[in-house]
Amino acid sequence: RCPRPHPIFRVRPLTCTETRRGDQQVVHSLGDGAVHVSAARHDATFGFSAVFDAGASQEAVFEGSGMRQLVELAMDGFSCTVFAFGQTGSGKTYTLMGPLAQSEAQPASPAVLGLMQRSFTCLLEQSRSRGSDLALSASYLEIYNEQVRDLLSPGPPCALPLRWSKTRGFYVENQLSVEFESLEAIVSLLLQGSQRRRTSAHALNRHSSRSHALLTIHIRSRAVRARPAPGAGWGLRAHAGPSKQGTLCFVDLAGSERVKETGSSGELSVEANSINRSLLALGHCISLLAKPRGKRTHIPYRDSKLTRLLARSLGGSGITLMVACISPSSRCLSETLSTLHYASRARRVTTRP
């Protein structure tokens, strides 16, 4: 059976601002992967692979999302992707990374670390237990105003060309890939790159991401087996088995937003329009991919840089975990319903890993 994108939902708590304002909670988890929306003229229930309510810990989200299995599949040579989407301020970056305030000098408490750091730990533990000879490297980029920029290369981020080839599909030319061997090294790359990412403050979010960010872990392995060395009695020598190349990509999408609600103007307005156009292109691709294969038309991956880079993850040879983050506030009802419908369509997409 062809695997489908595995959507999970996370409902964040009401913020202090929303509580003071008197916002009503209109989203409730019913258990068994069901989400209920109850508001004036809106009463609907949606079903997903898993739903995590406001009380769910970061560890519970990691263990219940299937993230551990995704790490193992990447080590087995598959192309795996996890991407978080939803309205700005809905908790996407927190779910993936944990608190924004963390740095190498002030690391976050282990209890609040996100899916990324927990996946790094799982990857390194699995590599040691399997006894495989792994070569690990990481690349980190952002898509800002339809420009692809490297977050790990020294100096100010500069635009990189996006190319296509028959063997590689869409890829970023001249992107820096940094090798790592320890948890400290990959977390350092994550924090350094995240600090260079474009963020701004507006009415809905004090730390709004103004770009889509993609961190990719490249996993190259060559299984090692021990066998007797000829003429050496009981001596053993290593024999290299077939090699595998897998990837584990984390995508933190910039949040969808209504310019009127955020109070954005000038450069912020331009950024918001660019974000919304790329998310619209992503939604359009997902809608077409959700149709039966015999009824599909051309999938317009080339409509945005984001859809080009996610082409393999969405409808090609990848395995994808979708993390939809929503606010329970009545004020965010329109965006919440949009996210719910977005993920419902994505459940019908099939890929061929």
Side-chain angles (χ1 to χ4, degrees):
R1 215 176 104 177
C2 294
R4 299 173 183 272
H6 173 47
I8 66 167
F9 255 81
R10 190 174 198 185
V11 186
R12 68 157 170 79
L14 285 169
T15 65
C16 295
T17 300
E18 290 167 340
T19 303
R20 284 196 304 267
R21 196 167 56 202
D23 292 8
Q24 299 298 308
Q25 181 165 338
V26 297
V27 181
H28 303 275
S29 170
L30 302 179
D32 296 325
V35 175
H36 184 68
V37 179
S38 178
R41 294 178 294 174
H42 293 285
D43 192 90
T45 301
F46 299 81
F48 298 98
S49 302
V51 175
F52 301 94
D53 59 22
S57 66
Q58 294 279 68
E59 181 180 7
V61 175
F62 177 78
E63 296 296 343
S65 65
M67 195 67 234
R68 189 179 294 276
Q69 290 82 358
L70 209 65
V71 172
E72 293 172 354
L73 285 166
M75 294 183 67
D76 287 334
F78 289 93
S79 173
C80 300
T81 302
V82 51
F83 70 88
F85 70 101
Q87 182 185 15
T88 184
S90 58
K92 300 182 299 298
T93 302
Y94 176 79
T95 298
L96 285 180
M97 282 187 55
L100 288 170
Q102 62 182 302
S103 65
E104 290 184 79
Q106 293 182 315
S109 163
V112 295
L113 293 176
L115 292 177
M116 298 172 84
Q117 297 97 319
R118 294 174 188 273
S119 298
F120 303 155
T121 300
C122 178
L123 171 63
L124 292 164
E125 288 176 349
Q126 285 287 331
S127 68
R128 286 191 289 267
S129 66
R130 289 190 184 194
S132 297
D133 182 18
L134 285 186
L136 302 174
S137 61
S139 56
Y140 200 4
L141 59 84
E142 69 173 353
I143 304 172
Y144 173 71
N145 283 348
E146 279 302 288
Q147 287 189 337
V148 180
R149 312 198 305 185
D150 197 328
L151 294 173
L152 295 183
S153 61
C158 58
L160 297 177
L162 187 55
R163 309 292 190 196
W164 184 86
S165 74
K166 288 184 179 180
T167 55
R168 298 177 63 182
F170 293 106
Y171 68 97
V172 179
E173 191 174 65
N174 299 325
Q175 184 180 7
L176 181 65
S177 185
V178 181
E179 294 186 357
F180 67 92
E181 295 182 349
S182 67
L183 179 62
E184 292 76 17
I186 180 56
V187 170
S188 175
L189 292 174
L190 168 65
L191 296 178
Q192 288 175 26
S194 299
Q195 288 166 4
R196 302 181 71 192
R197 188 179 172 190
R198 288 296 293 253
T199 61
S200 296
H202 56 57
L204 292 183
N205 191 354
R206 287 182 299 171
H207 300 282
S208 175
S209 300
R210 314 310 293 167
S211 67
H212 308 300
L214 295 83
L215 182 140
T216 304
I217 305 297
H218 307 273
I219 307 167
R220 296 175 178 82
S221 66
R222 184 173 291 275
V224 176
R225 301 190 298 270
R227 70 177 187 185
W234 294 101
L236 297 176
R237 76 174 183 183
H239 171 66
S243 62
K244 299 176 183 177
Q245 297 187 40
T247 58
L248 182 60
C249 181
F250 297 89
V251 185
D252 185 8
L253 297 177
S256 59
E257 57 187 47
R258 296 186 177 186
V259 176
K260 186 171 112 179
E261 293 287 331
T262 61
S264 301
S265 60
E267 185 181 8
L268 277 179
S269 178
V270 172
E271 292 169 351
N273 288 328
S274 177
I275 290 166
N276 289 337
R277 277 196 303 272
S278 62
L279 291 175
L280 185 64
L282 177 61
H284 187 208
C285 287
I286 287 176
S287 295
L288 293 175
L289 287 165
K291 294 181 179 181
R293 287 187 177 271
K295 296 183 179 180
R296 287 183 191 174
T297 57
H298 167 71
I299 310 299
Y301 291 121
R302 293 180 180 272
D303 282 0
S304 77
K305 299 284 178 67
L306 176 65
T307 47
R308 291 183 211 183
L309 289 176
L310 291 181
R312 177 178 294 180
S313 304
L314 293 173
S317 57
I319 302 170
T320 304
L321 167 66
M322 303 175 65
V323 184
C325 298
I326 55 177
S327 161
S329 166
S330 53
R331 185 166 178 145
C332 300
L333 178 61
S334 175
E335 290 287 350
T336 292
L337 287 170
S338 175
T339 301
L340 286 161
H341 288 300
Y342 200 103
S344 295
R345 290 193 299 270
R347 291 188 72 189
R348 302 195 295 271
V349 180
T350 57
T351 59
R352 299 181 184 276

